[in-house]
Amino acid sequence: MEATLLPSTRFLPTLTTMKCSLTGSQLINGQWVATGAKTMRGSNPATGEALDPRFAPASEAEVDAAMQAAAEAFKITRELPPATRAQLLETIAARIMDLGDDLLRRANLETGLPLPRLIGERARTCGQLQLFADLIREGSWVDAVIDTADPQRQPLPKPDLRRMARPLGPIVVFGASNFPFAYGACGGDTASALAAGNPVVVKAHERHPSVNELFAHAVRAALQDCNLPPGVFNLLQGPGATVGQALTKHPATQAVGFTGSKRAGRALFDLAAARSSPIPVYAEMGSLNPFVLLPGALAERSEPIAAGLAQSIAAGGGQFCTKPGLVFVVGAAAAETFVAQLASQLAGVPPATMIAVEMQQNFCATTGAFQKIPGVWTRLANSPTGFAAMPPILLEVDSATWREQLGLHEEAFGPGALVIRCPDFTDLIETVSCAGGNLTAALHYGAADSSTEVRAVAQALEQLAGRVVFNGYPTGVEVGRAMVHGGPYPATTAPSTTSVGILAIQRFVRPVCFQNAPDALLPAELQNANPRQLWRTVNGERTKQAL
Ligand code: NAP
């Protein structure tokens, strides 16, 4: 008998543990449906073994049925009180916990991710659902603004104008392979879209079809518990290039939330822009995550930084979108010592099983191409040690070569980094500024570094990234109110927002202004009596007072 895995979260199972038989089907409007042949299977990345059951890719008719179900459900969700939506999010979290060890074991089989990591990721996933439940219960995120009428105003009367954020309609969500829970079927995109009052259609990632189906069982049960329409959540299996693109093109789709590669994110962004009515694609994609070390930091704590950085590079097999992939060092002797320490730390990291053998092959192909570029020095060599297993690699190049060789600006998704040696501070600023758009950038400095130089680097990094980390490591994304997990292109297709943290909800709403609307036709948040007791801005004053 396998030991019971205790959840490290406040979401302890509350209902009888859910027992789900995997169907290999789509979830459409509460029904498990599969009209096509069951040709897809997950596989165990540690062994290559194909896993049961088989799954049917969604047909065009199923794509349409899922979108129609979501469009129908939107008639209900757009009017649901926040308390009901919050209860749904909390019930989904409870139902996820009720999946118990089945979910953890399946995820371990389909992704190779170790159980402690999966337990942590499940807690984060439930924490995200709770964060949005708390946000919508409090309510002021809708930014209710009221400018009352002035019929006597000259030369023209002033109308009554009331504005707030309103939901968009059906949202299509694509999960990533490297976070099967936190960026999966019930991840941050789904949580924020549901919180805002939208129905969701998830395109399951092909690498973990069973995990996605288990999540769909949890949401289906939660919708029943809350007596809400089943079309609020639908899940389709199948390839991104067919099912995913058909969902993006469907006229009922109002926005797309995507986490994954630049190639796929950009393809969906272009597809959405080419629709006769374009829609936003909020794609969180790859990132190089520059990590800058000033000489003062190396003088003070070269060894501990090398240890921390090695851990950050290799964590999760280097398959984090926040992995520090570019390491900038200045000068000669201290930098050389540091790179040797970093190589030695990475050499001690055991090989990790990558999420898929294709991921391992891509990583080897990308780093192999780097190694062929003249001027690239292999400081720590690696080679695959088994099926999908990968030890870390460390490469080095001088700053002038890196600036020139755009092939070295590609993301190598796996346990490795490229050190960039800059001769002096001026060169460092010039080189770092070529690092494109990123999710994160980190700066390590010490007492010996001038405050002017520290500020100059910090400003350069702010231009590049959604999150700037000082004397720390970028991996590990705290799910909180102030978090930004976004950044300029190519980190995302929408630099004004984030996929983690409360601002993520703003992706799936739009501001609507109601002019001279009768009180009864207004959303409760804008009504005179302020029945939700919200903080509102009335004629420029922040208040909870009724009108
Ligand atoms: P991926 O291959 O881009 O897959 C993501 C989703 O896009 C999958 O559902 C996939 O469908 C679909 N897709 C692939 N090609 C498509 C196409 N041509 N048209 C439409 N849809 C398509 O990415 P991944 O392997 O899951 O993740 C690895 C990458 O994601 C890395 O580059 C990593 O940096 C990035 N990532 C970013 C973040 C972030 O927050 N920014 C988080 C995690 C990962 P299939 O099921 O057919 O593959």
Side-chain angles (χ1 to χ4, degrees):
M1 205 172 78
E2 288 189 54
T4 300
L5 299 159
L6 289 176
S8 60
T9 160
R10 61 197 263 207
F11 294 99
L12 296 167
T14 50
L15 310 164
T16 50
T17 296
M18 240 174 24
K19 284 285 160 219
C20 308
S21 307
L22 290 166
T23 67
S25 308
Q26 333 302 334
L27 177 65
I28 300 174
N29 209 18
Q31 304 297 315
W32 295 105
V33 187
T35 51
K38 295 194 172 173
T39 52
M40 294 164 41
R41 288 169 95 176
S43 67
N44 183 337
T47 61
E49 173 206 2
L51 300 170
D52 282 332
R54 290 173 189 271
F55 286 80
S59 65
E60 268 180 47
E62 286 167 343
V63 167
D64 185 54
M67 291 312 309
Q68 298 294 352
E72 203 51 38
F74 183 52
K75 294 176 186 162
I76 309 286
T77 59
R78 65 196 296 279
E79 302 302 339
L80 285 177
T84 309
R85 298 185 334 251
Q87 188 199 7
L88 172 64
L89 297 176
E90 288 167 346
T91 311
I92 293 172
R95 283 295 191 173
I96 289 172
M97 294 311 303
D98 289 337
L99 292 168
D101 294 357
D102 287 356
L103 176 70
L104 300 171
R105 277 196 287 264
R106 258 291 152 175
N108 173 256
L109 271 182
E110 284 189 337
T111 66
L113 293 171
L115 290 172
R117 145 80 195 267
L118 290 167
I119 291 171
E121 195 179 327
R122 181 179 60 175
R124 172 178 165 180
T125 306
C126 293
Q128 288 172 169
L129 288 157
Q130 186 64 57
L131 178 76
F132 286 109
D134 294 344
L135 180 77
I136 60 179
R137 270 215 184 86
E138 189 279 328
S140 56
W141 72 275
V142 300
D143 194 18
V145 177
I146 299 175
D147 289 341
T148 52
D150 180 1
Q152 312 308 326
R153 192 182 70 173
Q154 294 299 328
L156 289 172
K158 181 179 165 220
D160 180 284
L161 297 175
R162 303 184 185 209
R163 182 235 314 151
M164 66 174 285
R166 296 288 293 150
L168 292 180
I171 307 297
V172 169
V173 170
F174 291 75
S177 56
N178 57 344
F179 279 91
F181 297 174
Y183 294 88
C186 293
D189 286 353
T190 295
S192 51
L194 292 176
N198 302 292
V200 166
V201 179
V202 173
K203 205 299 276 172
H205 199 291
E206 278 186 296
R207 302 234 186 282
H208 36 81
S210 302
V211 168
N212 282 300
E213 187 181 318
L214 287 172
F215 277 122
H217 280 281
V219 186
R220 182 174 178 267
L223 286 167
Q224 282 170 353
D225 294 341
C226 298
N227 203 18
L228 290 172
V232 170
F233 179 92
N234 307 272
L235 178 115
L236 301 183
Q237 306 277 358
T242 52
V243 175
Q245 298 206 3
L247 285 167
T248 304
K249 285 193 277 193
H250 197 282
T253 304
Q254 298 302 311
V256 173
F258 169 93
T259 309
S261 63
K262 185 165 85 180
R263 182 187 50 80
R266 184 60 200 252
L268 292 171
F269 178 81
D270 291 344
L271 192 67
R275 285 171 42 131
S276 57
S277 62
I279 53 167
V281 172
Y282 297 102
E284 300 287 342
M285 304 179 287
S287 185
L288 303 174
N289 304 306
F291 188 97
V292 177
L293 289 146
L294 291 185
L298 293 187
E300 274 173 20
R301 47 185 203 281
S302 181
E303 189 112 43
I305 295 174
L309 180 56
Q311 242 184 27
S312 190
I313 291 168
Q319 301 165 108
F320 288 163
C321 42
T322 51
K323 178 204 73 172
L326 295 180
V327 181
F328 293 86
V329 285
V330 191
E336 176 52 36
T337 305
F338 173 76
V339 180
Q341 287 166 337
L342 180 59
S344 148
Q345 289 286 345
L346 282 169
V349 175
T353 300
M354 297 197 68
I355 284 159
V357 73
E358 294 83 0
M359 212 76 116
Q360 182 201 48
Q361 288 161 352
N362 283 344
F363 182 64
C364 291
T366 311
T367 52
F370 287 1
Q371 286 169 298
K372 288 200 184 101
I373 292 175
V376 173
W377 180 18
T378 302
R379 297 296 304 249
L380 175 67
N382 71 347
S383 56
T385 53
F387 196 84
M390 203 69 225
I393 187 170
L394 187 66
L395 304 176
E396 182 183 313
V397 71
D398 68 84
S399 56
T401 306
W402 184 76
R403 288 196 302 268
E404 213 170 89
Q405 295 286 341
L406 296 185
L408 292 172
H409 297 223
E410 287 303 311
E411 180 189 31
F413 195 63
L418 177 61
V419 174
I420 299 168
R421 297 281 293 266
C422 304
D424 54 38
F425 185 77
T426 311
D427 183 271
L428 169 74
I429 294 285
E430 182 190 346
T431 309
V432 156
S433 303
C434 299
N438 287 276
L439 296 169
T440 75
L443 166 61
H444 280 250
Y445 62 95
D449 295 309
S450 86
S451 57
T452 317
E453 289 187 345
V454 172
R455 180 175 293 275
V457 182
Q459 284 173 343
L461 296 183
E462 183 194 321
Q463 287 304 106
L464 301 174
R467 177 163 58 104
V468 184
V469 181
F470 293 87
N471 286 335
Y473 304 92
T475 38
V477 179
E478 184 68 30
V479 177
R481 293 175 172 266
M483 177 49 71
V484 172
H485 190 60
Y489 185 86
T492 77
T493 52
S496 55
T497 185
T498 168
S499 65
V500 179
I502 56 172
L503 267 186
I505 198 171
Q506 299 294 343
R507 298 172 301 168
F508 302 127
V509 292
R510 62 189 175 89
V512 177
C513 175
F514 299 88
Q515 181 166 335
N516 292 336
D519 204 51
L521 291 188
L522 284 166
E525 289 84 347
L526 296 177
Q527 288 175 358
N528 287 338
N530 194 12
R532 300 226 160 110
Q533 287 293 293
L534 287 187
W535 283 104
R536 311 191 291 190
T537 305
V538 179
N539 296 326
E541 300 281 333
R542 205 76 181 133
T543 176
K544 279 190 172 185
Q545 294 281 310
L547 289 175

